[in-house]
C-alpha cells in the first residue's frame, strides 16, 4: 500500500485546517510516512495535563484520532471530509507527561469505510501507553 | 441502585480535582443524579470547536469520559482513583456547537471493573449525537 | 421511527436465510417489534454451553449480532445484504444457561452506516448480562 | 515478554477444557508461541459457514476470543479462570471458507486486566480479514 502524500504535505494540510491544534510550536507533527503506516508525534504542554501530572484522556483521544486521520490521508490523499465514525481506545499504562508517538496502521481502506489502528508509545523508552482502533467514513464523491 | 452522592457533591469534587475543566463559567456540570444514572451538561465555548464550527472529537470524548466517571462516583462515592481502561465511542450525527447532555447509565458495578454507557444528546431537541461505552478500573482499596 | 416489518415477517426471513440458526425448535425468535427497537429471544440448548455450564462467548456474540440485525431490518426492510462492520461487546455477568432476550435499539440509521445497541438480559429476572454496540454497513442500492 | 507455556501445553489445556471446540480433527490449534504473541489456526468445517458460504460471525468471534485467551495463557500460565470482559471486533473483508490464523499479541498484562489484540488472516494469502481487541479480567488469586 503506497502512500500518496508525504509527511510535509500532511503537515501543511493540518496547519491549514486545524491551526489551533498544530500551533506555532507544533504539538502534533507527522514525522514518518511509509507503506500502510504513518507516525504522528505529540509534544504535550501544560494544557494537555490533568490533575496528577498525567496526560489527559481527551489529549490521548486527540492523538489516536489524529494519527488515524493522517494515516488515512497519507494513503487516499487530501479527502478532508473523512469523519470518525467509531473509535475504541484502551488505556494501558499511566501517560506520564512526555512526548508520545501515535503510530497509525491501515487495516482496511474501503469505498465507504476505512479502519486504522494506532499504537501510542512513549518516544523515550517505546513503552506502549494506549491502543486504539478507529473506523472512518468517507462520503462518496459527487461525480 | 441508589446513588450515594448528590449532584452538588459531585460538582464540588470536579471543581477541586479538575478546575481547568470546570472553569468559572462551568463548562461541565452535573445537573441530575438518579437511580443508576447521572446527567452531565456540557456548555461548549470557542475552545471546543473545530474547523467547520463543529464540536471537536476530543471534546466529545471528554464529555463521554467525564459523564461515565461522575455516574460511577455518584454510585460508589468519591473513589477518585478510578481510571478509564477502555472507551468505545460512536459518532452518530454532526455535533453542532450547542449545549449537550451526557446521560450516563451504570451497566455494571464490580469489584475490579465497572461499565457505563453514555448517550450524548443535544439539549435543545434531544437528538442523539454520540454513544459511548466505557470500562473503568477501580484499584482494590488497601486495608 | 416506525418499524416497517412485523416480528412474523422477520422470523420468516430468518427461517429462509439462516435455517441452521433458527432450527425446528426455534433457538432465536423475534418476540417484539416497536418504534426503534426489537427483541430477539434466545433459548439456548446444550450446543451453546461451555465448560462450567455457562453460555459460550460465540453464542452471546450470535445473540448480540442477530438482535442488531433484526432491529435494523425491522426499520429498513429486508435489506439482507447488510453486514456487520464492527461489534463491541461487554460481558457483565456470568451467563447462566437460561433464556436471554437481546433487546436491540436503533442509535442511527444512515445511508452508509447504521448503529445499534443491544442489552442482553435474562428472561427470568431481567438481570443485564451483556451489552453490545454494533455498526452495520448497508451497500448502496444499484439503481 | 517470555512465554511460559508451549504450543503443546496450551493445546492440551484446550482439549481438556473445551473438547467440543477442539474436536477430533482439531478445529482450533495453537501453531506458534513466541515472545508476546501466539498464533491459533482455525480450520472451519460446514458447521462454521453461514448463508452464502462465508464463515459465520460467531465463528469469527470464537477465533478472536480464543486466540486472545491462548495468547494470555501462554504468558501467564494456566489461569483458566481468566474471562473476557470486553471484545471489539472489526470485520474487514469477506471471510471465505478457508483456514484462518488468529495472531494474538499482548498489549498489556496487568494484575486485574490484560489486553490483547488479534489479527485474523487467511492462511493462503495472508489477507487481513478481521481485527479484534480484547480485555480479559483475571480474578485475584486467593492467598
Amino acid at each position: 500500500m503506497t502512500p500518496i502524500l508525504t509527511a510535509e504535505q500532511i503537515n501543511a494540510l493540518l496547519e491549514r485546517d486545524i491551526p489551533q491544534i498544530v500551533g506555532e510550536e507544533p504539538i502534533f507533527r507527522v514525522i514518518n510516512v511509509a507503506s500502510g503506516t504513518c507516525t504522528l508525534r505529540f509534544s504535550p504542554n501544560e494544557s494537555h495535563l490533568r490533575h496528577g501530572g498525567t496526560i489527559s484522556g481527551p489529549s490521548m483521544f486527540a492523538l489516536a484520532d489524529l494519527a488515524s486521520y493522517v494515516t488515512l490521508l497519507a494513503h487516499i490523499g487530501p479527502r478532508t471530509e473523512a469523519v470518525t465514525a467509531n473509535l475504541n481506545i484502551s488505556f494501558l499504562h499511566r501517560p506520564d507527561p512526555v512526548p508520545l508517538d501515535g503510530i497509525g496502521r491501515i487495516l482496511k481502506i474501503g469505498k465507504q469505510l476505512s479502519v486504522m489502528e494506532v499504537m501510542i508509545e512513549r518516544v523515550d523508552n517505546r513503552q506502549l501507553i494506549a491502543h486504539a482502533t478507529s473506523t472512518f467514513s468517507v462520503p462518496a464523491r459527487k461525480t
Side-chain angles (χ1 to χ4, degrees), chain A:
Chain A
M1 198 174 302
T2 311
I4 59 181
L5 293 180
T6 63
E8 292 66 34
Q9 289 172 315
I10 302 168
N11 285 324
L13 275 174
L14 296 182
E15 278 158 31
R16 188 194 68 188
D17 287 350
I18 39 178
Q20 72 275 33
I21 281 189
V22 181
E24 298 190 1
E25 298 271 314
I27 294 163
F28 292 103
R29 195 130 206 101
V30 176
I31 60 165
N32 183 52
V33 174
S35 177
T37 186
C38 189
T39 299
L40 184 72
R41 181 152 296 174
F42 172 40
S43 304
N45 63 33
E46 279 296 315
S47 75
H48 304 101
L49 304 190
R50 181 62 54 84
H51 186 62
T54 56
I55 296 177
S56 73
S59 300
M60 297 294 286
F61 175 90
L63 174 53
D65 191 33
L66 198 55
S68 302
Y69 178 71
V70 295
T71 302
L72 180 61
L73 292 200
H75 293 82
I76 67 169
R79 303 287 305 276
T80 53
E81 73 276 28
V83 295
T84 315
N86 179 269
L87 194 145
N88 183 58
I89 185 165
S90 296
F91 297 96
L92 306 170
H93 290 289
R94 183 187 147 94
D96 288 324
V98 296
L100 299 174
D101 279 344
I103 304 169
R105 177 180 166 193
I106 300 282
L107 297 180
K108 174 191 177 172
I109 290 189
K111 257 177 289 184
Q112 299 188 331
L113 285 183
S114 294
V115 184
M116 273 69 63
E117 77 162 340
V118 180
M119 300 281 175
I120 295 182
E121 299 182 354
R122 287 175 68 129
V123 172
D124 57 2
N125 63 9
R126 310 315 311 180
Q127 187 188 26
L128 187 61
I129 299 299
H131 176 274
T133 311
S134 58
T135 302
F136 276 66
S137 172
V138 185
R141 277 181 192 276
K142 287 163 195 131
T143 51

